[in-house]
Amino acid sequence: GWLAQKGAVDFSGGYVIHLAAGISGFVAAWVIGPRLARDREIDAPNNLAMVAVGAGLLWLGWNGFNGGDPYNAGADAAAAVLNTNLATAVAFLVWVGWDYATGRKPSLIGSVNGMIVGLVAITPAAGFVNGWGAMLIGVVASSLVYVAYNYLSLLRQFRSVDDTLGVVYTHGFAGLI
């Protein structure tokens, strides 16, 4: 409460970090170059259970990241944790919904991308919006990043870079949004 009103609590650094990570990851992938053709043939991860466990741990840890930013166990921390979960869950579901709406088969990897988009997008605003704002952030971020990930990626500039994890979309675009 009081610390946030005095400007001592700064949730706004999240967008800078993620935008920089998205751009840095894209530039690094461009500099390194594409994978060998034989490595690009199989695009699926080798262990989906580990992807699910890793995604769950990431989501859990992000609660501590956003909830711990006020440096106290008060209303600001509670709001940040609640908003983190709301935005992330909504972004996750919106991504799956867009998969259904566009005729794509929903997948664990796609839904994890939606989850990451929600985590990234809510971070700067976690302690400052209400629940409706958090859900709106999840819907807008997931929708815009979904379009970028699935359609903007078809442009020549993005096709020429082997961004295997889609970092420029899930971190760069979501951080910008």
Side-chain angles (χ1 to χ4, degrees):
W2 181 81
L3 287 174
Q5 291 170 356
K6 298 297 180 190
V9 179
D10 181 22
F11 287 93
S12 64
Y15 71 92
V16 174
I17 293 167
H18 292 289
L19 183 57
I23 293 169
S24 300
F26 189 75
V27 169
W30 174 69
V31 169
I32 292 170
R35 295 169 287 163
L36 298 174
R38 69 172 187 260
D39 293 334
R40 283 183 281 162
E41 289 173 7
I42 301 173
D43 199 25
N46 66 356
N47 192 335
L48 285 175
M50 288 297 178
V51 170
V53 169
L57 289 171
L58 183 67
W59 192 336
L60 176 69
W62 218 287
N63 281 298
F65 175 69
N66 283 352
D69 206 15
Y71 300 112
N72 67 17
D76 288 340
V81 170
L82 177 65
N83 289 335
T84 297
N85 286 293
L86 277 173
T88 304
V90 167
F92 178 97
L93 293 173
V94 165
W95 192 284
V96 172
W98 276 118
D99 274 341
Y100 277 117
T102 59
R104 288 184 167 82
K105 183 179 178 184
S107 66
L108 176 68
I109 302 301
S111 59
V112 167
N113 278 337
M115 180 202 82
I116 292 170
V117 167
L119 290 170
V120 168
I122 193 60
T123 296
F128 298 112
V129 296
N130 61 18
W132 293 109
M135 289 189 280
L136 182 64
I137 288 171
V139 168
V140 169
S142 190
S143 296
L144 291 176
V145 173
Y146 185 88
V147 168
Y149 186 83
N150 289 295
Y151 300 106
L152 189 64
S153 64
L154 300 176
L155 296 176
R156 189 175 56 81
Q157 305 89 292
F158 292 100
R159 263 196 342 248
S160 62
V161 176
D162 188 16
D163 183 10
T164 310
L165 299 175
V167 173
V168 72
Y169 308 104
T170 58
H171 283 67
F173 283 89
L176 183 63
I177 292 165

